[in-house]
Amino acid sequence: MTKIIQTKNLTKEYDGFRAVDNLNLNIDAGEIYGFLGPNGAGKTTTILMLLGILKPTQGEVYLMEEPLSKNPLSLKKKIGVVSETQHLYKEMTAGEYLRFFAELYRVKNKEKRIDELLTAVDLLDVKNKKLDAFSRGMQQKLGFARALLHEPELLLLDEPVSGLDPAGIKQVRDLIEKENRKGKTIFISSHLLSEVEKLCKKVAIINKGRLLAEDTMQNLRKKLTDFIQIEIELVEIKKEIMDTLNSFNFVKEIQQENKILTLKVTTDKDHRAEISAAIARNGGVVLGINIREMSLEEAFVTITQKNISLLASTEEAAQ
Amino acid sequence: MNERGISLSTHSTKILTRREFLSALYGWGFYVAIFISFLVSSLILRNFLQGIREDNIFISSYPLNFPLFVSMVIISLYLVIVSAVSISREKEQGTLEVLFYGPVSSSSFLLGKYFTDMLLYLIIAGFFSVYFFGVSLITNLGFTVALGKAIFVSIFIASCVISFGLFISSLTGKVRSSIVWLIGILIGFLVIWFFQNMFRGIPSEALSSWLIYVQRTLNVIYYFVNWVSPFSYLSRGMESIGVGSMRPFLLNILYSVVYTVVFLTASIYILKAKGVRA
């Protein structure tokens, strides 16, 4: 599979301080990739290096499998960027602003494309309105339209939903998913972990300039905890059911509250079928089973606070 | 850079120039500068004509060159301010970073700024030509070859002024710093010019040993300033026309071209090194 972004030992130093330390990222084409880290972790520095705006102290950035340093302009033409703040030309109207960037990126049928995108972000009505009258949310959505103008292969989003209301967040999320379905690779750096969790298949966690984890959400959870909680709602809880469940080796703890059982089970495999079969054997009727997994937020806090690296195990797993 | 990169860079320069140029034409600064320069040169011409009316005589080889020179000084001040804040303003507003997300490089961006200001000056030079031609027809003061040469050489002088402004702008990250630096440097040039002229009038025998040292140091600094200050190219350019020989005229054009190339190249490298953020 084509590697859309690849960094090899990417390092950035400022007066002896390592903002980014030997970063190795691998992002496949078509992925939605979450790039997470606490404030000052080196996320923005990394993004600026991916865009060729900052020169790495050491290492190399590859975009679409070509070194960025060799042909930066034609590679950057294939990227769309939405940053936290849009920095618009306030004296322009939305239409003029997009027309300027459409010309810069040599977009064909630019008027049609501009109208298409303004419709997608719900800004067509304000096409001729000056940008100094735009709210933060409107500016953010216009930034999205600008980033998508030239049908980029890669979308780099730095805090893309910053300043948006819930409806705006949903609209942007839908837009991201739609672009991803079209085959675009999406790189998201965000503090809104719930959003990242909803969108991203794979996440990387960076802290103090170092990559601590890079994996799918499922694998990250597995690596961080040996147990998950399964909540089972029953019509009636019988003693035989409790005895059978207690006899399983993979069940480490059972809590009962009214007609709901909460089981702490090992993550070695999916035990739900085994559990529901045992309940049925003992005459129980299952109304519902829920798995309560570790959230991305919990994983993020665990990894960054303890500064634990999951990379070695990732490599082993890959081997 | 491969050919594709060059083509992208050229395209970016073209688009950036067009945007900047239209933005300047829709602004009021450009028209104010033109208005002031024409107002001042009209006042000078009025004084000339009044003198002729009163004394019935006016002796000058190139009567329209002085009003043109004064207009050039005013326009140069406008151009140097506009170019000195052009990069720092985009850095401060963050728009420069957004441009650099796409197919824009330091050189395409800087050349875009340079060509915009040059285009603005070419329009002004066109106005100068029409204005002075009209004046020569009305007043009989004569649209001489020297005036044509002065308008032509003014294009190269404007190029020096713009490159100098862009150089200051590339050094700074905020509009205020650009203005402070620009005013500081221009005042510095004036102070050096003033003291050098003051000392030049005093014979060495009348100076103490340390004042001789000061005089020599000022001479060296003045020599340096003469090559660095774009306004020196303005006065030298106008003087070269007065001499009547083609050599100093062409040499001044050559020096202006070299000056422009050196300052633009330096600005590109500084912008690359300092980055796009304020």
Side-chain angles (χ1 to χ4, degrees):
Chain A
M1 187 168 278
T2 313
K3 293 258 179 267
I4 287 282
I5 298 178
Q6 202 174 15
T7 65
K8 289 184 180 169
N9 302 320
L10 198 64
T11 303
K12 182 71 190 175
E13 278 184 17
Y14 296 105
D15 302 321
F17 166 72
R18 284 203 163 192
V20 175
D21 190 1
N22 278 304
L23 193 67
N24 293 302
L25 296 177
N26 289 289
I27 301 162
D28 292 328
E31 261 182 354
I32 304 186
Y33 187 94
F35 191 56
L36 314 171
N39 288 337
K43 298 190 300 289
T44 304
T45 307
T46 305
I47 291 174
L48 292 177
M49 284 194 283
L50 293 179
L51 289 166
I53 289 174
L54 272 184
K55 206 176 164 199
T57 310
Q58 191 189 304
E60 180 76 87
V61 172
Y62 293 83
L63 296 177
M64 292 101 194
E65 301 191 336
E66 273 185 67
L68 178 67
S69 54
K70 246 187 180 175
N71 201 1
L73 293 191
S74 60
L75 284 172
K76 285 206 284 182
K77 207 172 166 246
K78 297 174 186 170
I79 308 174
V81 183
V82 181
S83 56
E84 190 176 2
T85 317
Q86 292 314 309
H87 310 297
L88 308 168
Y89 292 105
K90 299 281 168 77
E91 71 280 7
M92 287 183 170
T93 65
E96 285 167 351
Y97 181 73
L98 292 181
R99 208 166 293 127
F100 164 60
F101 279 96
E103 282 167 3
L104 197 61
Y105 285 92
R106 287 177 167 156
V107 175
K108 285 175 186 149
N109 299 322
K110 57 176 187 270
E111 290 305 324
K112 192 178 160 224
R113 181 76 183 139
I114 288 168
D115 285 354
E116 245 173 47
L117 286 166
L118 285 175
T119 309
V121 294
D122 223 3
L123 290 177
L124 190 64
D125 293 346
V126 289
K127 186 181 174 182
N128 297 316
K129 201 174 173 182
K130 282 255 160 62
L131 298 180
D132 59 0
F134 271 41
S135 68
R136 186 154 156 70
M138 286 159 88
Q139 291 183 18
Q140 201 67 11
K141 288 199 273 184
L142 187 69
F144 251 94
R146 188 207 63 231
L148 293 172
L149 265 174
H150 54 294
E151 295 276 6
E153 287 178 41
L154 167 66
L155 263 179
L156 274 178
L157 313 176
D158 190 7
E159 301 291 351
V161 293
S162 163
L164 291 177
D165 57 18
I169 292 176
K170 165 98 175 54
Q171 207 171 19
V172 163
R173 193 195 308 137
D174 291 346
L175 203 63
I176 293 172
E177 281 172 340
K178 189 179 155 198
E179 292 302 318
N180 182 245
R181 279 195 297 275
K182 283 197 234 167
K184 288 186 176 65
T185 310
I186 322 272
F187 179 98
I188 308 176
S189 165
S190 178
H191 280 112
L192 283 181
L193 300 182
S194 55
E195 278 311 308
V196 173
E197 194 164 16
K198 275 176 202 157
L199 283 165
C200 301
K201 272 95 187 168
K202 196 172 168 185
V203 293
I205 296 176
I206 179 175
N207 194 22
K208 293 174 185 166
R210 302 197 72 165
L211 187 67
L212 298 180
E214 188 191 41
D215 215 326
T216 60
M217 273 307 301
Q218 206 181 358
N219 285 343
L220 270 186
R221 283 188 194 104
K222 271 188 192 164
K223 283 170 194 168
L224 284 168
T225 177
D226 296 332
F227 306 102
I228 55 163
Q229 287 186 325
I230 299 179
E231 284 179 352
I232 308 160
E233 193 181 354
L234 299 165
V235 171
E236 189 189 354
I237 299 173
K238 295 176 183 171
K239 189 180 173 295
E240 300 81 42
I241 295 173
M242 293 294 280
D243 291 342
T244 311
L245 292 177
N246 267 321
S247 70
F248 288 135
N249 283 334
F250 57 81
V251 176
K252 297 295 168 194
E253 195 181 303
I254 301 177
Q255 285 175 359
Q256 186 185 340
E257 199 183 326
N258 298 324
K259 287 171 184 173
I260 295 172
L261 290 177
T262 305
L263 277 62
K264 192 176 172 186
V265 301
T266 56
T267 53
D268 52 339
K269 66 173 200 172
D270 189 352
H271 296 288
R272 281 177 299 174
E274 222 172 322
I275 292 167
S276 56
I279 292 169
R281 261 200 321 274
N282 289 291
V285 177
V286 176
L287 293 174
I289 293 188
N290 280 319
I291 293 183
R292 201 198 153 275
E293 286 181 307
M294 181 183 238
S295 68
L296 178 58
E297 194 174 318
E298 285 164 329
F300 177 80
V301 170
T302 309
I303 292 170
T304 54
Q305 280 190 351
K306 293 178 185 168
N307 207 30
I308 48 172
S309 174
L310 301 180
L311 286 176
S313 48
T314 310
E315 280 154 20
E316 279 162 24
Q319 280 161 13
Chain B
M1 197 186 289
N2 66 15
E3 204 178 329
R4 189 133 184 248
I6 290 169
S7 131
L8 279 169
S9 218
T10 312
H11 176 75
S12 308
T13 303
K14 197 175 91 186
I15 301 299
L16 292 170
T17 303
R18 192 161 65 197
R19 190 196 73 81
E20 288 282 317
F21 180 64
L22 288 175
S23 167
L25 287 187
Y26 285 126
W28 50 266
F30 176 63
Y31 302 102
V32 169
I34 293 178
F35 175 74
I36 293 173
S37 71
F38 282 119
L39 184 74
V40 172
S41 52
S42 298
L43 286 173
I44 294 168
L45 281 165
R46 189 176 148 268
N47 282 343
F48 280 179
L49 294 172
Q50 210 166 352
I52 295 170
R53 242 197 320 267
E54 283 167 7
D55 307 332
N56 225 5
I57 191 167
F58 179 68
I59 304 163
S60 173
S61 315
Y62 313 113
L64 295 181
N65 279 28
F66 182 66
L68 176 71
F69 174 77
V70 175
S71 298
M72 260 307 290
V73 171
I74 294 165
I75 293 298
S76 297
L77 283 172
Y78 162 73
L79 288 174
V80 81
I81 292 168
V82 164
S83 51
V85 299
S86 59
I87 302 172
S88 50
R89 191 182 54 215
E90 294 230 32
K91 269 191 190 177
E92 195 173 298
Q93 293 175 345
T95 47
L96 184 60
E97 186 175 318
V98 178
L99 288 176
F100 275 63
Y101 292 159
V104 176
S105 62
S106 302
S107 50
S108 60
F109 175 76
L110 231 125
L111 288 175
K113 294 282 180 196
Y114 171 76
F115 287 130
T116 304
D117 294 343
M118 279 308 287
L119 274 175
L120 290 175
Y121 183 71
L122 286 176
I123 291 178
I124 294 170
F127 277 128
F128 280 158
S129 308
V130 173
Y131 173 78
F132 285 107
F133 184 69
V135 166
S136 71
L137 284 180
I138 296 165
T139 60
N140 247 349
L141 283 175
F143 193 96
T144 57
V145 175
L147 185 67
K149 277 165 80 177
I151 292 173
F152 180 70
V153 85
S154 73
I155 296 168
F156 295 92
I157 294 160
S159 170
C160 293
V161 169
I162 293 163
S163 318
F164 179 74
L166 290 173
F167 177 74
I168 301 280
S169 203
S170 67
L171 286 169
T172 51
K174 291 202 179 336
V175 171
R176 193 193 286 181
S177 321
S178 302
I179 298 286
V180 168
W181 269 94
L182 181 68
I183 293 172
I185 290 171
L186 292 183
I187 289 175
F189 287 163
L190 274 174
V191 167
I192 290 159
W193 174 82
F194 174 79
F195 282 107
Q196 198 272 344
N197 268 289
M198 196 180 82
F199 272 98
R200 204 172 53 179
I202 308 168
S204 300
E205 303 83 55
L207 296 171
S208 63
S209 58
W210 75 270
L211 280 176
I212 291 171
Y213 174 76
V214 172
Q215 187 188 40
R216 280 179 190 161
T217 311
L218 272 171
N219 282 341
V220 172
I221 297 171
Y222 181 72
Y223 179 79
F224 174 74
V225 166
N226 242 331
W227 289 106
V228 173
S229 165
F231 292 94
S232 304
Y233 291 76
L234 174 63
S235 40
R236 266 205 302 271
M238 292 299 169
E239 277 166 20
S240 73
I241 294 157
V243 172
S245 158
M246 277 305 273
R247 196 169 174 272
F249 174 74
L250 292 175
L251 264 180
N252 196 64
I253 289 176
L254 178 70
Y255 292 152
S256 304
V257 172
V258 172
Y259 181 96
T260 302
V261 172
V262 168
F263 271 75
L264 282 183
T265 311
S267 309
I268 291 168
Y269 277 99
I270 290 166
L271 184 60
K272 264 187 195 168
K274 292 191 79 125
V276 297
R277 291 194 156 185

